[in-house]
Amino acid sequence: MVKKQIHPIIRLFLLLISIFVIFSGCSTDDNNANSTKALIQTNNPPPSTINGNEKDQKLVMDVKKKVMSKKEVYDVSVIKGEQDILVAYKVRHLKRFRMKKIEADLQKELEKEFPDEKFTISSDYKIFLESIRLQDKINNKQIPKEDLEKRLSEIIKLSNEKT
Amino acid sequence: MGKSKKKKSKTPEQQQYAQFEQKHEIKRPVVRNCVVAFLVGGTICVIGQAISYFYIYFFNFTEQTAGNPTVATLIFLSMLLTGFGVYDRIGQFAGAGSAVPVTGFGNAVISASIEHRTEGFVLGVGGNMFKLAGSVILFGVFSAFVVALIKTLIMKWVGV
């Protein structure tokens, strides 16, 4: 009886698919509808504040408007905590070559327009994803403010990590 | 000019042989090789991008830090595939498409180890493991050192 051989390329794809299926089980259960596709599609979430007061709300709206006015940027998430404001954004694909310059310009412009605020800005996908997840938590209103504040400072710390 | 000089220095027998060789030489399918290398190399890069997104999405890695585990995973996968004899076939089919990405590095390490396995673990596997990949590591480290040196000097002098 002749044993039928599986083509090596098909074998490779089977291996990759099985790896993908195995690792899919690692997903955490805190993914809401907004954050699941945050890396693939444009979200443009409304800016959030952890305190939720009107003055802060107006401020984050202005920050978002300012960031969105840059033509290289297309998806912006703004979260204001007690002291820091986290601005995460996506840069248009072909403009990503000049990402560092865009970041430096944006930081300078924001600091000039809102001199009393402390900004952390990032074009990293991970920071964007985490900010969307945090916004989902803020909107749920089930988590205490201290925990939200702690998570925000963790995200800011993560954005400063280099290695 | 150099070519004609070379041609002149050939003996009649050598010229005759060159003509004979040219007539029978099988032409390399350069375009086909390029297309296949592009497609397979691109597929490997797509897999790498997917692994990178996987680390960003499910673990605490940023775009900047996800590079290291992605490269490690790709090398590990290519080492496994080399051991199973799958990567050799991909290499035969794709050529540079499978050798140029970082997966080619894993393949170079493991294939050298397998080749010298019969000479023992220390002198065979240990001594020859980096026969091919060693030059890649050395060249990479040295060029990184030179580039870092140039950058440091420029930053020190120009202050960019």
Coordinates of all heavy atoms in Angstrom, one line a residue, chain B residues 65-136:
Chain B
T65 N 9.3 47.3 21.0 CA 9.9 46.2 21.8 C 9.5 44.8 21.2 O 10.1 43.8 21.5 CB 9.6 46.3 23.2 OG1 8.1 46.3 23.4 CG2 10.2 47.5 23.9
A66 N 8.4 44.8 20.4 CA 7.9 43.5 19.8 C 8.9 42.9 18.8 O 8.8 41.7 18.5 CB 6.6 43.7 19.2
G67 N 9.8 43.7 18.3 CA 10.8 43.2 17.3 C 11.6 42.0 17.8 O 11.8 41.1 17.1
N68 N 12.1 42.1 19.0 CA 13.0 41.1 19.5 C 12.3 39.7 19.6 O 12.8 38.7 19.1 CB 13.6 41.5 20.9 CG 14.4 42.7 20.8 OD1 14.9 43.0 19.7 ND2 14.6 43.4 21.9
P69 N 11.2 39.6 20.3 CA 10.5 38.3 20.4 C 10.1 37.8 19.0 O 10.0 36.6 18.8 CB 9.3 38.5 21.3 CG 9.1 39.9 21.4 CD 10.4 40.6 21.2
T70 N 9.7 38.7 18.1 CA 9.3 38.3 16.8 C 10.4 37.6 16.0 O 10.3 36.6 15.4 CB 8.8 39.5 16.0 OG1 7.8 40.2 16.7 CG2 8.3 39.2 14.6
V71 N 11.6 38.3 16.1 CA 12.8 37.7 15.4 C 13.1 36.3 16.0 O 13.4 35.4 15.3 CB 14.0 38.7 15.5 CG1 15.3 38.0 15.1 CG2 13.7 39.9 14.7
A72 N 13.1 36.3 17.4 CA 13.4 35.0 18.0 C 12.4 33.9 17.6 O 12.8 32.8 17.3 CB 13.3 35.2 19.5
T73 N 11.1 34.3 17.5 CA 10.1 33.3 17.1 C 10.3 32.8 15.7 O 10.3 31.6 15.4 CB 8.7 33.9 17.2 OG1 8.6 34.5 18.5 CG2 7.6 32.8 17.1
L74 N 10.6 33.7 14.8 CA 10.8 33.4 13.4 C 12.1 32.4 13.2 O 12.0 31.4 12.5 CB 11.0 34.6 12.5 CG 9.8 35.3 12.1 CD1 10.1 36.6 11.3 CD2 8.9 34.4 11.2
I75 N 13.1 32.8 14.0 CA 14.3 32.0 13.9 C 14.0 30.6 14.5 O 14.4 29.5 13.9 CB 15.5 32.6 14.7 CG1 16.0 33.9 13.9 CG2 16.7 31.7 14.8 CD1 17.1 34.6 14.6
F76 N 13.3 30.5 15.6 CA 13.0 29.2 16.2 C 12.1 28.4 15.2 O 12.4 27.2 15.0 CB 12.2 29.5 17.5 CG 11.8 28.2 18.2 CD1 12.8 27.4 18.8 CD2 10.5 27.8 18.3 CE1 12.4 26.2 19.4 CE2 10.1 26.7 18.9 CZ 11.1 25.9 19.5
L77 N 11.1 29.0 14.6 CA 10.3 28.3 13.7 C 11.1 27.7 12.5 O 10.9 26.6 12.1 CB 9.2 29.2 13.1 CG 8.0 29.4 14.0 CD1 7.0 30.4 13.4 CD2 7.3 28.2 14.4
S78 N 12.0 28.6 11.9 CA 12.8 28.1 10.8 C 13.8 27.0 11.2 O 14.1 26.1 10.4 CB 13.5 29.3 10.1 OG 14.6 29.7 11.0
M79 N 14.2 27.1 12.5 CA 15.1 26.0 13.0 C 14.3 24.7 13.0 O 14.8 23.6 12.6 CB 15.6 26.3 14.4 CG 16.8 27.4 14.3 SD 17.3 27.8 15.9 CE 18.9 28.6 15.6
L80 N 13.1 24.8 13.5 CA 12.3 23.5 13.6 C 12.0 23.0 12.2 O 12.2 21.8 12.0 CB 10.9 23.9 14.3 CG 10.9 23.9 15.8 CD1 9.4 24.2 16.2 CD2 11.3 22.6 16.4
L81 N 11.6 23.9 11.3 CA 11.3 23.5 9.9 C 12.6 22.9 9.2 O 12.4 22.0 8.4 CB 10.8 24.7 9.1 CG 9.4 25.2 9.5 CD1 9.0 26.4 8.7 CD2 8.4 24.1 9.4
T82 N 13.8 23.4 9.5 CA 15.0 22.9 9.0 C 15.2 21.4 9.5 O 15.5 20.5 8.8 CB 16.2 23.7 9.4 OG1 15.9 25.1 9.0 CG2 17.5 23.3 8.7
G83 N 15.0 21.3 10.8 CA 15.1 20.0 11.4 C 14.2 18.9 10.8 O 14.5 17.8 10.6
F84 N 12.9 19.4 10.5 CA 11.9 18.5 9.9 C 12.2 18.3 8.4 O 11.5 17.5 7.8 CB 10.5 19.0 10.1 CG 10.1 19.1 11.6 CD1 9.3 20.1 12.1 CD2 10.5 18.1 12.4 CE1 9.0 20.1 13.4 CE2 10.2 18.1 13.8 CZ 9.4 19.1 14.3
G85 N 13.1 19.1 7.8 CA 13.4 18.9 6.4 C 12.4 19.7 5.5 O 12.4 19.5 4.3
V86 N 11.6 20.6 6.1 CA 10.7 21.3 5.3 C 11.4 22.6 4.7 O 11.2 22.9 3.5 CB 9.5 21.8 6.1 CG1 8.5 22.6 5.3 CG2 8.8 20.6 6.7
Y87 N 12.2 23.2 5.5 CA 12.8 24.5 5.0 C 13.7 24.3 3.8 O 13.8 25.2 3.0 CB 13.6 25.2 6.2 CG 13.7 26.7 6.0 CD1 12.6 27.5 6.4 CD2 14.7 27.3 5.4 CE1 12.7 28.9 6.2 CE2 14.8 28.6 5.2 CZ 13.8 29.4 5.6 OH 13.8 30.8 5.4
D88 N 14.4 23.1 3.7 CA 15.3 22.9 2.6 C 14.5 22.9 1.3 O 14.9 23.5 0.3 CB 15.9 21.5 2.7 CG 16.5 21.2 4.0 OD1 16.1 21.9 5.0 OD2 17.4 20.4 4.2
R89 N 13.3 22.4 1.3 CA 12.4 22.4 0.1 C 12.0 23.8 -0.2 O 11.9 24.1 -1.4 CB 11.2 21.4 0.3 CG 11.7 20.0 0.4 CD 10.5 19.1 0.5 NE 11.0 17.7 0.8 CZ 10.5 16.7 0.3 NH1 9.5 16.8 -0.6 NH2 11.0 15.5 0.6
I90 N 11.6 24.5 0.8 CA 11.2 25.9 0.6 C 12.4 26.7 0.0 O 12.2 27.4 -0.9 CB 10.8 26.6 1.9 CG1 9.6 25.9 2.5 CG2 10.4 28.1 1.7 CD1 9.2 26.4 3.9
G91 N 13.6 26.4 0.5 CA 14.8 27.0 0.0 C 15.1 26.7 -1.5 O 15.4 27.6 -2.3
Q92 N 14.9 25.4 -1.8 CA 15.1 25.0 -3.2 C 14.1 25.7 -4.1 O 14.4 26.1 -5.3 CB 14.9 23.5 -3.3 CG 16.1 22.7 -3.0 CD 15.9 21.3 -3.0 OE1 14.8 20.8 -3.2 NE2 17.0 20.5 -2.8
F93 N 12.9 25.9 -3.6 CA 11.8 26.5 -4.4 C 12.0 28.0 -4.5 O 11.9 28.6 -5.6 CB 10.4 26.2 -3.8 CG 9.3 26.8 -4.5 CD1 8.9 26.5 -5.7 CD2 8.6 27.8 -3.8 CE1 7.8 27.1 -6.3 CE2 7.5 28.5 -4.4 CZ 7.1 28.1 -5.7
A94 N 12.3 28.7 -3.4 CA 12.3 30.1 -3.3 C 13.7 30.8 -3.4 O 13.7 32.0 -3.7 CB 11.6 30.6 -2.0
G95 N 14.7 30.1 -3.2 CA 16.1 30.7 -3.3 C 16.3 31.8 -2.3 O 16.1 31.6 -1.1
A96 N 16.7 33.0 -2.8 CA 17.0 34.1 -1.9 C 15.8 34.5 -1.1 O 15.9 35.1 0.0 CB 17.4 35.3 -2.7
G97 N 14.6 34.2 -1.6 CA 13.3 34.5 -0.8 C 13.3 33.9 0.6 O 12.7 34.4 1.5
S98 N 13.9 32.7 0.7 CA 14.0 32.1 2.0 C 15.3 32.3 2.7 O 15.4 32.1 3.9 CB 13.7 30.6 1.9 OG 14.8 30.0 1.2
A99 N 16.3 32.7 2.0 CA 17.6 32.9 2.6 C 17.9 34.3 3.2 O 18.5 34.5 4.2 CB 18.7 32.6 1.6
V100 N 17.3 35.3 2.5 CA 17.5 36.7 3.0 C 16.8 37.1 4.3 O 17.4 37.7 5.1 CB 17.2 37.7 1.8 CG1 17.4 39.1 2.3 CG2 18.2 37.4 0.7
P101 N 15.5 36.7 4.5 CA 14.9 37.0 5.8 C 15.6 36.4 6.9 O 16.4 35.5 6.7 CB 13.5 36.5 5.6 CG 13.3 36.3 4.2 CD 14.6 36.0 3.6
V102 N 15.3 36.8 8.1 CA 16.0 36.3 9.3 C 15.9 34.8 9.5 O 16.7 34.1 10.1 CB 15.6 37.1 10.6 CG1 14.2 36.6 11.0 CG2 16.6 37.0 11.7
T103 N 14.9 34.2 8.9 CA 14.7 32.8 8.9 C 15.8 32.0 8.3 O 16.2 30.9 8.7 CB 13.4 32.3 8.2 OG1 13.3 33.0 7.0 CG2 12.1 32.7 9.0
G104 N 16.5 32.6 7.3 CA 17.6 32.0 6.7 C 18.8 31.8 7.7 O 19.6 30.9 7.5
F105 N 18.8 32.7 8.7 CA 19.9 32.6 9.7 C 19.7 31.3 10.5 O 20.6 30.5 10.7 CB 19.8 33.8 10.6 CG 20.7 33.8 11.8 CD1 22.0 34.2 11.7 CD2 20.3 33.3 13.0 CE1 22.9 34.1 12.7 CE2 21.1 33.3 14.1 CZ 22.5 33.7 14.0
G106 N 18.5 31.0 10.9 CA 18.2 29.8 11.7 C 18.5 28.6 10.9 O 19.0 27.6 11.3
N107 N 18.1 28.7 9.6 CA 18.4 27.6 8.7 C 19.9 27.3 8.5 O 20.3 26.2 8.6 CB 17.8 27.9 7.3 CG 18.1 26.9 6.2 OD1 19.0 27.1 5.4 ND2 17.5 25.7 6.3
A108 N 20.7 28.4 8.5 CA 22.1 28.3 8.3 C 22.8 27.6 9.5 O 23.7 26.8 9.4 CB 22.8 29.6 8.1
V109 N 22.2 27.9 10.7 CA 22.8 27.3 12.0 C 22.5 25.9 12.0 O 23.4 25.0 12.3 CB 22.2 28.1 13.2 CG1 22.6 27.4 14.5 CG2 22.7 29.5 13.2
I110 N 21.2 25.5 11.8 CA 20.8 24.1 12.0 C 21.3 23.2 10.9 O 21.7 22.1 11.2 CB 19.2 24.1 12.2 CG1 18.8 24.8 13.4 CG2 18.8 22.6 12.2 CD1 19.4 24.3 14.7
S111 N 21.3 23.7 9.7 CA 21.8 22.8 8.6 C 23.3 22.5 8.8 O 23.7 21.3 8.5 CB 21.5 23.4 7.2 OG 22.0 24.7 7.2
A112 N 24.0 23.5 9.3 CA 25.5 23.2 9.6 C 25.6 22.2 10.7 O 26.5 21.3 10.6 CB 26.2 24.5 9.9
S113 N 24.7 22.3 11.7 CA 24.8 21.3 12.8 C 24.4 19.9 12.4 O 25.1 19.0 12.7 CB 23.8 21.7 13.9 OG 23.9 23.1 14.2
I114 N 23.4 19.8 11.6 CA 23.0 18.5 11.1 C 24.1 17.9 10.2 O 24.4 16.7 10.4 CB 21.7 18.6 10.3 CG1 20.5 19.0 11.2 CG2 21.3 17.3 9.6 CD1 19.2 19.4 10.4
E115 N 24.7 18.7 9.4 CA 25.8 18.2 8.5 C 26.9 17.6 9.3 O 27.5 16.6 8.9 CB 26.2 19.4 7.7 CG 27.0 19.0 6.4 CD 27.5 20.2 5.6 OE1 26.8 21.2 5.6 OE2 28.6 20.1 5.1
H116 N 27.3 18.2 10.4 CA 28.5 17.8 11.2 C 28.1 17.0 12.4 O 29.0 16.8 13.3 CB 29.3 19.0 11.6 CG 29.9 19.7 10.4 ND1 31.1 19.3 9.8 CD2 29.4 20.7 9.6 CE1 31.3 20.0 8.7 NE2 30.3 20.9 8.6
R117 N 26.9 16.5 12.5 CA 26.4 15.7 13.6 C 27.3 14.5 13.8 O 27.6 14.1 14.9 CB 24.9 15.4 13.4 CG 24.3 14.3 14.3 CD 24.2 14.8 15.8 NE 23.8 13.8 16.6 CZ 24.7 12.9 17.2 NH1 26.0 13.0 16.9 NH2 24.2 11.9 18.0
T118 N 27.7 13.9 12.7 CA 28.4 12.6 12.8 C 29.8 12.8 13.4 O 30.4 11.8 13.8 CB 28.6 12.0 11.4 OG1 29.1 13.0 10.5 CG2 27.3 11.4 10.8
E119 N 30.3 14.0 13.5 CA 31.6 14.2 14.0 C 31.6 14.4 15.5 O 32.6 14.8 16.2 CB 32.3 15.5 13.4 CG 32.6 15.2 11.9 CD 32.9 16.5 11.2 OE1 33.5 17.4 11.8 OE2 32.4 16.6 10.0
G120 N 30.4 14.3 16.1 CA 30.3 14.4 17.6 C 29.6 15.7 18.0 O 29.5 16.6 17.2
F121 N 29.2 15.8 19.2 CA 28.5 17.0 19.7 C 29.4 18.2 19.9 O 29.0 19.3 19.6 CB 27.7 16.7 21.0 CG 26.4 16.0 20.7 CD1 26.2 14.8 21.2 CD2 25.4 16.7 20.0 CE1 24.9 14.2 21.0 CE2 24.2 16.1 19.8 CZ 24.0 14.8 20.2
V122 N 30.6 18.0 20.4 CA 31.5 19.1 20.7 C 32.2 19.6 19.5 O 32.1 20.7 19.0 CB 32.5 18.8 21.8 CG1 33.4 19.9 22.1 CG2 31.7 18.4 23.1
L123 N 33.1 18.7 18.9 CA 33.8 19.1 17.7 C 33.0 19.2 16.5 O 33.3 20.0 15.6 CB 35.0 18.2 17.5 CG 36.1 18.2 18.6 CD1 37.1 17.1 18.3 CD2 36.7 19.6 18.6
G124 N 32.0 18.4 16.4 CA 31.1 18.4 15.2 C 30.1 19.5 15.2 O 30.2 20.5 14.6
V125 N 29.1 19.3 16.1 CA 28.0 20.3 16.2 C 28.5 21.6 16.7 O 28.3 22.7 16.1 CB 26.8 19.7 17.0 CG1 25.7 20.8 17.2 CG2 26.2 18.5 16.4
G126 N 29.1 21.6 17.9 CA 29.6 22.8 18.6 C 30.6 23.6 17.7 O 30.5 24.8 17.6
G127 N 31.5 22.9 17.1 CA 32.6 23.6 16.3 C 32.1 24.1 15.0 O 32.7 25.0 14.5
N128 N 31.1 23.5 14.4 CA 30.7 23.9 13.1 C 29.3 24.6 13.0 O 28.9 25.0 11.9 CB 30.6 22.7 12.2 CG 32.0 22.1 12.0 OD1 32.9 22.7 11.4 ND2 32.2 20.9 12.5
M129 N 28.7 24.7 14.2 CA 27.3 25.3 14.2 C 27.3 26.7 13.5 O 26.4 27.0 12.7 CB 26.9 25.4 15.6 CG 25.4 25.6 15.8 SD 25.2 25.7 17.6 CE 23.6 24.9 17.7
F130 N 28.3 27.5 13.8 CA 28.3 28.9 13.3 C 29.2 29.1 12.1 O 29.7 30.1 11.9 CB 28.7 29.8 14.5 CG 27.6 29.9 15.5 CD1 27.8 29.3 16.7 CD2 26.5 30.6 15.3 CE1 26.8 29.4 17.7 CE2 25.5 30.7 16.2 CZ 25.6 30.1 17.4
K131 N 29.5 28.0 11.4 CA 30.3 28.0 10.2 C 29.8 29.0 9.2 O 30.6 29.8 8.6 CB 30.4 26.6 9.6 CG 31.6 26.4 8.8 CD 31.7 24.9 8.4 CE 30.6 24.4 7.5 NZ 30.8 23.1 7.0
L132 N 28.5 29.0 9.0 CA 27.9 29.9 8.0 C 27.4 31.2 8.7 O 27.6 32.3 8.3 CB 26.7 29.3 7.3 CG 27.1 28.3 6.2 CD1 25.8 27.5 5.9 CD2 27.6 29.0 5.0
A133 N 26.7 31.0 9.9 CA 26.0 32.1 10.5 C 27.0 33.0 11.3 O 26.7 34.1 11.6 CB 25.0 31.6 11.5
G134 N 28.2 32.4 11.7 CA 29.2 33.2 12.4 C 29.6 34.5 11.7 O 29.7 35.5 12.4
S135 N 29.8 34.3 10.4 CA 30.2 35.5 9.7 C 29.1 36.6 9.7 O 29.4 37.8 9.7 CB 30.6 35.2 8.2 OG 29.5 34.4 7.7
V136 N 27.9 36.1 9.7 CA 26.7 37.0 9.7 C 26.7 37.8 11.0 O 26.6 39.0 11.0 CB 25.4 36.3 9.5 CG1 24.2 37.2 9.6 CG2 25.4 35.5 8.2

